[in-house]
Amino acid sequence: MTSASSPALPVARALGGPAAVERCARRVAAAVDAVLAELDALRAAAADCWTRAAAEGRRPGAAELAAVRGAVGELLARPGSRWFGCGAVVAPGALADADLHAEWWYRGARGAGERRLRLVLDPADAEFYDYRALPWFARPRDEGRAVVAGPQVDLLCADRYVLCCARPVVVPGAGFVGVAAGDVPLAALERLLVPPLRELAGEAALLDGEGRVLAATTPALPVGSLARGLLADPAAGRAGVPSAAVDWTVARG
């Protein structure tokens, strides 16, 4: 509260200082963590496959991983869901009858319901999809933490930028058995990422570690474009997003 003799600070200064940029970064981090938390039920369903099999002294088979379908359906069909596709992707050797396996479902077009994604997982095939080296799988495996990877072009829609959110599935006695993951179109995250940016004075953007635009308050910085100058400009206000899952930066021009 200000008195009549103490005029308020100009709006641009009040919303444009370092504290405002850091506050914006914290709000973005909270949004990221909230999205990742939505994968909890899927991760629990996947882990349960190994827990039940371990109680019988064995590893689960690929067919048993179909038990995650209920959690997948809940994520995809939830009113206002931002998920385009999700599922469980398995670590090599974690199943009894398949070295590599993905139980992944995505939304069909025009209300067609959920559809199973069929990947080529035979290393001898020319179209082999080797997910083992991709960041959304490798980083949860190697670092033991949730990861938001991208933006990247979705396998199914060449004109759609998505972020792949993944959480490691770790089971006592079995260790890392895979990831619970999902694709979120960047457009679906705008309602979470743009409002904090709009509280900053001037133009602002959310950038990944490469300087690629994830969200912005100006059409001059389209999603997916590179804006490395904002990361290098000493005059720009910047703050790292304090979430271990991302290497993002809030930058105000």
Side-chain angles (χ1 to χ4, degrees):
M1 180 180 297
T2 58
S3 67
S5 59
S6 300
L9 292 173
V11 171
R13 182 179 174 188
L15 299 182
V21 178
E22 290 175 4
R23 184 166 58 251
C24 174
R26 289 195 297 270
R27 288 189 59 192
V28 171
V32 169
D33 293 343
V35 171
L36 287 167
E38 294 180 3
L39 294 171
D40 279 350
L42 176 55
R43 181 172 62 168
D48 188 57
C49 295
W50 276 268
T51 300
R52 286 186 284 104
E56 301 173 4
R58 61 180 182 85
R59 289 177 295 164
E64 294 175 72
L65 208 59
V68 306
R69 175 75 185 277
V72 167
E74 182 181 345
L75 275 176
L76 297 183
R78 181 182 301 168
S81 174
R82 58 182 61 90
W83 301 95
F84 174 67
C86 58
V89 183
V90 179
L95 294 174
D97 57 356
D99 189 47
L100 301 175
H101 184 72
E103 196 75 23
W104 193 276
W105 297 79
Y106 64 96
R107 292 183 190 176
R110 298 179 182 176
E114 302 156 18
R115 296 191 176 185
R116 174 79 184 277
L117 177 63
R118 305 289 181 179
L119 296 172
V120 178
L121 298 177
D122 179 1
D125 195 295
E127 297 184 2
F128 172 48
Y129 181 71
D130 190 0
Y131 58 75
R132 297 169 296 181
L134 298 178
W136 56 263
F137 186 86
R139 289 173 58 190
R141 177 195 64 206
D142 299 341
E143 302 170 15
R145 60 182 176 87
V147 166
V148 178
Q152 58 202 24
V153 176
D154 184 72
L155 282 172
L156 300 170
C157 302
D159 60 348
R160 185 195 299 261
Y161 273 114
V162 300
L163 295 173
C164 186
C165 306
R167 304 194 71 174
V169 180
V170 180
V171 179
F176 174 79
V177 296
V179 299
D183 286 336
V184 181
L186 266 178
L189 284 182
E190 284 186 343
R191 63 180 179 269
L192 294 178
L193 301 179
V194 172
L197 297 175
R198 285 181 174 155
E199 292 188 0
L200 299 175
E203 298 178 346
L206 179 64
L207 312 175
D208 70 5
E210 296 180 346
R212 198 170 295 278
V213 177
L214 300 168
T217 61
T218 169
L221 294 173
V223 168
S225 64
L226 285 172
R228 291 174 179 153
L230 282 177
L231 295 178
D233 184 358
R238 293 188 296 274
V241 175
S243 169
V246 298
D247 60 352
W248 298 353
T249 299
V250 171
R252 182 183 59 81

